[in-house]
Amino acid sequence: MDFRKNSVRKRLHSLQSSGERMRNKTVTASLRVIFFALVLAIITACAVFYGAVQGVIAGAPDVNTIDVSPQGIRTQIYDSGGNIIQTLVKSGSNRDPVTYDRIPDNLKDAFVAIEDSRFWDHEGVDIRGIFRATLIGIGSGFRSTQGASTITQQLIKNNVLGGGQESTLGAMIVRKIEEQYLAIELEKKMSKEEILTDYLNTINLGSNCLGVQTAAKRYFNKDVSELTLSECAVIAGITQNPAGYNPITHPEDNAKRRATILEYMLEQGYITSDEYSEAIADSGDVYERIKKVNQEYQDQDDSPYSYFVDRLITEVERDLVSKCGYTEDEAFDLIYSGGLKIYTTQDSSLQKIVDKEVSDPSNYESIENKYSFTYSLAVNHGGKAVYYNESDVRKTLGLASLDFSSEKKAKNAVKKFKNKILQDGDSIIQESYNTVMQPQASVVLMDQATGEVKAITGGRGTKYTSLSLNRATSTRRSPGSTFKVLTSFAPAIDACGQTLASVYYDEPYTEPTTGKQFRNWWGSAMYIGYANIRDGIEYSMNILA
């Protein structure tokens, strides 16, 4: 053995190099294993993900059978002149669809600019938008997010996939995959114009407005085709948050959103600098116009249906069930959300006259006016709900009738009733009181040549609720002495050459074939001799009839 200094150093160096090489080989081998394992895991994950996606796609609705058009459309009722007299609507159906050509370009461009700037270029899914939203989310630690759904995806989400109301993350991911797949497939079937039209007729625009036509009417009392650029930006600004950007309840927030939309439209080349400046200058006035229209709308919206419409709804529902085979629930849905256009025989000018005359106090000056009421009361009594109405008021107070000489006395009777029945610990759940004028009156005005009903008034005084008691159509009464006019006096004038001045003799009368004796309603002891038909109608004279 050579134990010289240099020889020992060389040997140690050799041993160290050999160990180093061994370690390096071990590390390299380990890294290779880890790398291949990682690659395998990624490949496996991708395969699993791909399989999961394919499974979701396989379970997605068939694009050939889905309907992305808006569902739930309000019904409109027209008079004989073609004027809208009433709109019937239930929740989720306050929508009036319009065609693509009626929607102004500024409104289409405003929605595209703020909701989906590459709408006209992508094929249903915006890849750039997805990456942008992902980077923004990562950069903010997912404290801030930005939507990447295209207009096509939003349409599918709202009208096919239930509006995105998932309760779990897994369900949301499944919906998102279906949404993107269907968006790509839908754009192979439908044109961009068709998709945008359905979208603009679908979206929620606050204040129970669905679709741009309803919003145009609600906020500006205009047809959508008449909207200005400034007004288009207001409506487009609502859709991201219908409650938070509502121009009636949150005009300041909507104004900020509106300004952003106008900036986007300018940047994307949809409007010129002059158009932008003109719209920005309208910032204050546009919300004043909305405020004014809103006040007018509230005044109208609080009004119940007319008696004519009440009866119309009843008859349409009855016919849908008895003649068309619908169930009552189906008939209800069709009437209030089926988008029906119902044309009636009502003459609005005649209806106004009838309403005015029935309610005119001067027509009742010779009559002692009285006041009655309808009443309902729900009381929580010992944990149990107990219900009362006006009949309970009469029975509890021992009243012969519910007619009072003044409205104050009628209200005092209700107050007295409550004091009598309410006990310690009771709480009122619900209470409703409405004044009813007495005597009451009702009118049905018909065209005798055609049988068309031209006007209906079912009561005198204020109408408080829709589908309330309709005395003209829903309260059967004995025809009584009206038959004298219908069967005797009117035919005599109409067909027998008589006039209101034609004279007959009022005296005891026996019907010759049966021997039956007739008398006037006031008794048999008094007859007035000669009287004309006008007297016969005014005093309801049996003998003359």
Side-chain angles (χ1 to χ4, degrees):
M1 296 289 291
D2 187 355
F3 290 104
R4 284 178 297 178
K5 186 175 181 180
N6 287 338
S7 178
V8 171
R9 185 180 293 114
K10 289 178 181 179
R11 186 167 180 78
L12 288 172
H13 178 71
S14 175
L15 291 171
Q16 289 172 352
S17 296
S18 177
E20 187 67 27
R21 285 196 299 274
M22 183 63 70
R23 281 194 298 273
N24 287 341
K25 287 181 179 180
T26 302
V27 171
T28 300
S30 298
L31 289 175
R32 285 176 179 172
V33 171
I34 293 172
F35 174 75
F36 284 119
L38 184 60
V39 170
L40 182 61
I42 291 173
I43 292 173
T44 302
C46 289
V48 171
F49 178 74
Y50 177 79
V53 170
Q54 289 300 310
V56 171
I57 290 175
D62 185 349
V63 73
N64 294 309
T65 61
I66 63 174
D67 182 5
V68 296
S69 61
Q71 303 299 311
I73 301 171
R74 64 186 182 179
T75 287
Q76 292 179 319
I77 300 174
Y78 300 81
D79 67 9
S80 58
N83 305 300
I84 296 176
I85 57 175
Q86 187 68 59
T87 297
L88 307 180
V89 61
K90 73 172 187 177
S91 177
S93 65
N94 192 24
R95 178 185 288 111
D96 186 9
V98 287
T99 55
Y100 185 81
D101 59 298
R102 280 181 60 191
I103 304 172
D105 289 340
N106 280 333
L107 188 58
K108 301 168 192 169
D109 296 341
F111 274 97
V112 169
I114 194 66
E115 292 295 321
D116 187 0
S117 61
R118 280 178 288 278
F119 172 72
W120 298 106
D121 301 317
H122 64 63
E123 296 180 351
V125 176
D126 184 5
I127 302 299
R128 289 170 58 186
I130 293 173
F131 278 118
R132 181 194 67 241
T134 302
L135 291 174
I136 290 174
I138 293 173
S140 64
F142 295 100
R143 289 186 299 274
S144 174
T145 59
Q146 184 169 345
S149 293
T150 64
I151 283 175
T152 312
Q153 287 177 247
Q154 292 180 50
L155 179 63
I156 290 170
K157 179 183 73 173
N158 289 327
N159 290 356
V160 179
L161 301 179
Q165 301 298 317
E166 300 82 14
S167 58
T168 65
L169 177 62
M172 185 192 72
I173 293 173
V174 169
R175 189 262 302 166
K176 203 69 179 176
I177 294 171
E178 291 182 338
E179 181 184 295
Q180 293 177 350
Y181 163 72
L182 289 173
I184 294 170
E185 294 300 311
L186 186 66
E187 294 224 359
K188 298 175 184 177
K189 284 186 55 185
M190 295 177 64
S191 68
K192 292 284 188 178
E193 291 78 8
E194 290 171 328
I195 290 170
L196 185 58
T197 301
D198 280 344
Y199 171 78
L200 294 177
N201 282 324
T202 293
I203 48 179
N204 181 355
L205 293 169
S207 300
N208 193 30
C209 295
L210 301 174
V212 292
Q213 171 70 350
T214 308
K217 289 286 189 180
R218 178 65 180 84
Y219 298 123
F220 300 105
N221 195 25
K222 289 182 176 181
D223 186 88
V224 67
S225 62
E226 300 171 345
L227 293 174
T228 66
L229 170 60
S230 173
E231 293 163 348
C232 288
V234 168
I235 290 176
I238 302 170
T239 188
Q240 188 184 54
N241 185 344
Y245 290 130
N246 187 303
I248 296 172
T249 56
H250 296 88
E252 299 85 1
D253 294 328
N254 181 275
K256 294 175 184 177
R257 182 77 170 167
R258 171 182 170 277
T260 299
I261 290 171
L262 291 171
E263 290 175 9
Y264 280 20
M265 293 179 75
L266 180 62
E267 291 171 2
Q268 296 172 29
Y270 288 117
I271 58 175
T272 65
S273 296
D274 289 343
E275 289 172 325
Y276 171 80
S277 299
E278 183 181 351
I280 287 294
D282 190 40
S283 297
D285 293 341
V286 71
Y287 293 100
E288 283 301 314
R289 296 198 296 274
I290 291 172
K291 185 177 179 180
K292 181 179 179 181
V293 170
N294 181 56
Q295 184 57 56
E296 294 172 354
Y297 180 89
Q298 287 180 327
D299 293 342
Q300 297 171 0
D301 194 46
D302 290 339
S303 302
Y305 302 154
S306 69
Y307 287 110
F308 189 100
V309 170
D310 280 355
R311 181 60 185 180
L312 177 75
I313 292 171
T314 301
E315 293 198 1
V316 170
E317 182 176 11
R318 181 193 64 197
D319 289 348
L320 287 173
V321 172
S322 63
K323 298 180 180 180
C324 302
Y326 290 94
T327 66
E328 290 186 0
D329 288 342
E330 290 170 340
F332 177 88
D333 287 339
L334 193 58
I335 290 171
Y336 289 93
S337 64
L340 302 181
K341 294 186 182 300
I342 303 175
Y343 298 90
T344 75
T345 57
Q346 184 187 73
D347 185 321
S348 291
S349 60
L350 294 177
Q351 183 70 61
K352 289 178 182 178
I353 295 171
V354 169
D355 290 341
K356 178 179 179 297
E357 293 303 323
V358 169
S359 297
D360 188 351
S362 66
N363 290 329
Y364 303 90
E365 288 179 349
S366 62
I367 302 173
E368 181 184 1
N369 285 302
K370 292 185 178 294
Y371 298 84
S372 184
F373 56 84
T374 59
Y375 183 65
S376 66
L377 176 68
V379 176
N380 185 344
H381 177 66
K384 181 181 178 182
V386 183
Y387 300 92
Y388 304 92
N389 58 32
E390 62 270 14
S391 296
D392 297 300
V393 177
R394 184 178 60 81
K395 293 174 184 176
T396 302
L397 300 182
L399 301 173
S401 75
L402 291 177
D403 294 337
F404 299 87
S405 60
S406 69
E407 189 172 3
K408 182 179 179 180
K409 289 182 178 180
K411 289 182 176 180
N412 284 339
V414 171
K415 185 177 180 181
K416 186 177 179 181
F417 167 75
K418 286 167 61 179
N419 290 336
K420 239 182 175 182
I421 61 118
L422 291 178
Q423 302 176 19
D424 291 341
D426 286 354
S427 60
I428 294 177
I429 302 171
Q430 177 272 339
E431 183 177 20
S432 174
Y433 173 93
N434 292 317
T435 301
V436 179
M437 292 292 296
Q438 296 293 354
Q440 267 299 325
S442 64
V443 173
V444 176
L445 188 63
M446 298 176 65
D447 183 338
Q448 64 179 17
T450 64
E452 294 179 349
V453 176
K454 295 298 183 181
I456 293 177
T457 293
R460 174 188 173 207
T462 303
K463 190 175 190 291
Y464 295 98
T465 60
S466 299
L467 302 175
S468 57
L469 175 64
N470 192 335
R471 297 172 183 84
T473 62
S474 303
T475 53
R476 292 186 175 183
R477 296 289 188 270
S478 169
S481 293
T482 58
F483 259 77
K484 299 171 192 174
V485 177
L486 295 175
T487 63
S488 295
F489 297 131
I493 294 171
D494 182 56
C496 300
Q498 303 299 292
T499 70
L500 290 173
S502 296
V503 174
Y504 290 84
Y505 197 70
D506 179 37
E507 61 180 350
Y509 177 76
T510 301
E511 208 283 321
T513 57
T514 63
K516 182 176 180 180
Q517 291 186 336
F518 288 87
R519 62 182 184 179
N520 289 313
W521 60 268
W522 55 75
S524 59
M526 186 178 74
Y527 298 90
I528 62 176
Y530 288 106
N532 58 34
I533 289 180
R534 182 181 287 106
D535 295 327
I537 294 173
E538 182 176 357
Y539 298 110
S540 189
M541 298 174 68
N542 296 341
I543 301 299
L544 261 66

